[in-house]
Amino acid sequence: MNGDAPYLLAVYILSEQHGPPVGTSAVAELLDRSPSTVTEQFKHLDRDGLVHHEPYAGATLTEEGRERAAALHEAYVTVSWFYRSVLDLDSREADAMEVASLLSPDVADRLATMLPYDPTEGS
């Protein structure tokens, strides 16, 4: 997936936490980006059919967007667990989102097997 992946993942996570639609400012804060950058990415995701973007309201995942984001979320959980349990880094969520978007499912699965605990437990 391209550079839109962290934004798709952020919409997924924030939707799970607070419900849709997800506002531009919430994604901007989570990813440490400007609201204008997030708006542009929302437009890309909308054109790709992954979210419905309503200006001033936010973004809501489409079915396809939810499926892709769920797969990204699995890699994100693994990378987040790696950051916390192996690297002892607690506040690296934006970094974990970026890295997760670069991993293939096979790499994420292999990384998960190397961790001291199953990062998918309790998620």
Side-chain angles (χ1 to χ4, degrees):
M1 192 173 231
N2 58 28
D4 293 341
Y7 298 88
L8 185 64
L9 182 55
V11 171
Y12 178 85
I13 290 169
L14 292 168
S15 290
E16 292 295 310
Q17 292 174 349
H18 307 290
V22 174
T24 301
S25 60
V27 173
E29 184 177 327
L30 183 62
L31 296 178
D32 194 25
R33 302 289 196 282
S34 72
S36 62
T37 298
V38 174
T39 298
E40 287 304 309
Q41 293 302 323
F42 278 0
K43 289 177 185 178
H44 288 237
L45 292 169
D46 189 86
R47 280 192 301 267
D48 291 344
L50 300 174
V51 302
H52 294 294
H53 175 237
E54 190 69 38
Y56 307 106
T60 303
L61 293 167
T62 63
E63 187 60 38
E64 182 181 355
R66 179 165 286 290
E67 289 173 12
R68 288 195 190 176
L72 284 168
H73 188 257
E74 290 181 30
Y76 162 74
V77 169
T78 299
V79 172
S80 292
W81 187 262
F82 175 76
Y83 278 20
R84 283 190 299 276
S85 68
V86 176
L87 300 180
D88 197 25
L89 298 170
D90 287 329
S91 301
R92 307 305 301 181
E93 297 310 305
D95 289 347
M97 292 175 129
E98 294 284 342
V99 171
S101 70
L102 300 173
L103 296 180
S104 72
D106 290 339
V107 171
D109 288 344
R110 286 191 167 217
L111 179 59
T113 64
M114 303 299 293
L115 295 174
Y117 301 102
D118 181 359
T120 60
E121 287 181 11
S123 63

